[in-house]
Amino acid sequence: MSFTAASTMGKALVGVPVTQTKSFRQMRAAPAGRRSSKVVAMAGAETAVAVATRWALAVPTMYAVVSFNEYVTHRWFQHAEFNKTDWMKALWCKVTGAEVAPKCDGGGHIEHHAETLDDMSLKTDPKWLKSEPAKMLENSKYRGTAFEYDITGLMVIQMLPTSIPILALMGFSAPSGMAIILGAVAIHAAVWNSLHPAMHGMEDIPLSEGLNVPLPLAKMLRKTGYYNWLYKNHMGHHVMSGRMNYNVCCPGMDHILGTYCPEEEWHAKARMPAGAETRDPYPAGEYNRRLQERAEKGMVAAELVDGVELELEPELVSA
């Protein structure tokens, strides 16, 4: 079914403008001029209601679609659970005709977890930086924490298969549907970039490198209950070794699929390094400052938790 055909069907589902609201006999009895003007006015009003309804429904609909796509990408690609899910691999082979399903490497996300301490800071000790997982992050300016424009472009492509049919059934034209998809992805990228890089101590990403909100607005948002919830939810994701709380900016799918872990459950399992209790939640630039401090002072000690050096968890560095 073409986008246009689905869009026409969708308009019927949401509410098609009705041009004849009286019986034929009643229409004939009314003067032609008055009858015509009333029909046009009523049709216009109903069209406005239908359009307003579609656009109002587009907001929660796209939120759900983004939440779904964020969850699927984070869990099965970035955490490489695709490699452990037999039915997904079988489906891939059936659809593509391949004999063997490809192996996901997570695009550096698994290594990002290995580098992150439970207070959200990143390891900077020489032993870690010489490890193979750390070397895989060297080509990423933001060490896998930011949505740069190339990543945002990939998300647009990823959103198309799920978004287009839904928006078409809702009655949106192809241009309107594409505008909605681009807007949803842009908002997601801006929220991600105002939240994720800084919480891990990386620099705030400038608009020249990725979508973001103005820094003054970002600082205001970080004080809201919404951002506070997102922060703690993502901290739980890291504390639970990337096995829970896959949604980062658009919570929802974790609750539906049973992978949501509330703070009261993960907090007791957190292994906080020294100074975690006084760490700024969004210490943008912290990572580079720590590297510089180590270089100036010749510090070689590893980050310690309860006086013990952390070891790499095998499942985090091998998908």
Side-chain angles (χ1 to χ4, degrees):
M1 181 183 295
S2 67
F3 195 105
T4 302
S7 180
T8 302
M9 182 187 300
K11 290 177 181 178
L13 294 173
V14 177
V16 164
V18 179
T19 58
Q20 184 172 317
T21 58
K22 296 182 180 182
S23 69
F24 181 70
R25 182 174 296 175
Q26 290 173 317
M27 296 291 286
R28 288 189 63 184
R34 187 176 63 185
R35 181 172 68 232
S36 176
S37 61
K38 283 187 176 181
V39 170
V40 171
M42 294 178 71
E46 292 183 11
T47 300
V49 171
V51 170
T53 300
R54 282 201 299 275
W55 281 96
L57 290 175
V59 176
T61 299
M62 288 310 296
Y63 179 92
V65 173
V66 172
S67 180
F68 172 80
N69 280 276
E70 182 182 60
Y71 183 96
V72 169
T73 301
H74 196 175
R75 180 174 182 177
W76 280 286
F77 172 68
Q78 291 183 303
H79 282 282
E81 288 199 19
F82 174 86
N83 300 335
K84 308 171 188 177
T85 310
D86 291 336
W87 70 266
M88 281 190 170
K89 293 191 288 185
L91 180 62
W92 176 276
C93 292
K94 188 172 183 178
V95 172
T96 63
E99 294 185 4
V100 180
K103 185 176 181 180
C104 290
D105 62 7
H109 190 77
I110 296 172
E111 290 72 26
H112 162 64
H113 269 259
E115 182 170 67
T116 303
L117 298 168
D118 283 358
D119 69 344
M120 299 294 94
S121 64
L122 303 181
K123 298 175 185 176
T124 57
D125 62 278
K127 181 178 179 180
W128 160 253
L129 293 176
K130 293 177 183 178
S131 69
E132 288 303 315
K135 290 179 181 178
M136 291 185 67
L137 295 171
E138 288 180 355
N139 293 329
S140 173
K141 180 177 179 179
Y142 298 94
R143 302 193 72 79
T145 65
F147 258 53
E148 289 135 309
Y149 284 115
D150 57 342
I151 304 299
T152 302
L154 289 175
M155 187 172 181
V156 171
I157 296 172
Q158 175 204 339
M159 288 277 291
L160 296 179
T162 49
S163 302
I164 288 177
I166 293 173
L167 292 173
L169 286 173
M170 291 178 68
F172 286 102
S173 65
S176 294
M178 197 63 206
I180 292 172
I181 295 170
L182 292 175
V185 172
I187 292 172
H188 177 271
V191 172
W192 180 289
N193 284 334
S194 63
L195 172 81
H196 196 243
M199 74 186 294
H200 286 297
M202 300 304 296
E203 302 287 352
D204 282 300
I205 182 170
L207 194 58
S208 60
E209 298 178 17
L211 294 172
N212 206 344
V213 299
L215 187 56
L217 178 58
K219 290 181 177 180
M220 291 175 59
L221 290 171
R222 291 166 185 170
K223 296 177 182 179
T224 63
Y226 170 58
Y227 268 61
N228 183 55
W229 192 95
L230 293 180
Y231 189 102
K232 291 180 179 178
N233 183 65
H234 190 60
M235 179 179 280
H237 173 70
H238 279 274
V239 170
M240 300 300 289
S241 298
R243 297 184 181 91
M244 305 291 284
N245 298 0
Y246 293 101
N247 284 125
V248 179
C249 302
C250 299
M253 287 304 299
D254 278 306
H255 296 75
I256 295 173
L257 297 180
T259 52
Y260 171 64
C261 183
E263 183 181 4
E264 54 267 25
E265 292 183 19
W266 62 255
H267 192 271
K269 300 179 181 180
R271 300 176 297 171
M272 296 296 182
E277 63 279 358
T278 59
R279 180 178 183 263
D280 186 326
Y282 298 97
E286 173 190 64
Y287 178 76
N288 288 326
R289 289 193 297 270
R290 286 186 175 181
L291 288 178
Q292 184 177 358
E293 182 182 13
R294 281 182 173 275
E296 292 175 351
K297 297 182 179 180
M299 299 165 62
V300 296
E303 278 86 2
L304 304 178
V305 174
D306 296 329
V308 179
E309 180 179 342
L310 292 175
E311 295 294 331
L312 294 181
E313 297 183 44
E315 65 269 25
L316 289 181
V317 294
S318 59

